[in-house]
Amino acid sequence: MWYILALLIGAGLVALVWFLNQKGWGVKWYEILIFVIGLALLCFAIQNIVGTKAEFEDKAATVFFWAFVPASVILMIVAGVLPFLRIRGASNK
């Protein structure tokens, strides 16, 4: 199951980078890295939340949610906003 999900996520990221490069919105390597780290953190959080729910440890699932999900979402948002800020800064010069 996780292998298929990893292949789909990888293919989606490659397609997204290819699409953005075709549109002229070059994506830097560090933006991709920040997004991948956020995505890995989100997958880690989901795996642990599901596992702790299966063991009927609701408090642990809540702690995993509040510890990892907001950080992963923030990283993915930052990675998504950086290209737009760079393009806007280049157009103002």
Side-chain angles (χ1 to χ4, degrees):
M1 172 67 180
W2 285 104
Y3 300 114
I4 295 171
L5 182 62
L7 285 173
L8 289 174
I9 289 171
L13 285 173
V14 169
L16 180 65
V17 169
W18 179 76
F19 174 74
L20 290 175
N21 283 333
Q22 290 293 328
K23 293 287 185 182
W25 299 349
V27 180
K28 302 290 185 186
W29 66 270
Y30 53 86
E31 295 162 351
I32 297 171
L33 182 65
I34 291 171
F35 186 82
V36 168
I37 290 171
L39 190 62
L41 200 60
L42 184 65
C43 289
F44 173 73
I46 291 171
Q47 178 185 6
N48 283 314
I49 289 168
V50 169
T52 55
K53 285 284 191 181
E55 294 176 357
F56 302 107
E57 296 288 341
D58 292 332
K59 183 158 180 131
T62 305
V63 169
F64 269 112
F65 178 81
W66 288 112
F68 291 105
V69 172
S72 66
V73 170
I74 288 170
L75 282 175
M76 290 190 293
I77 289 172
V78 165
V81 169
L82 282 175
F84 296 111
L85 293 176
R86 188 178 60 249
I87 290 169
R88 194 176 102 198
S91 66
N92 288 340
K93 289 182 180 179

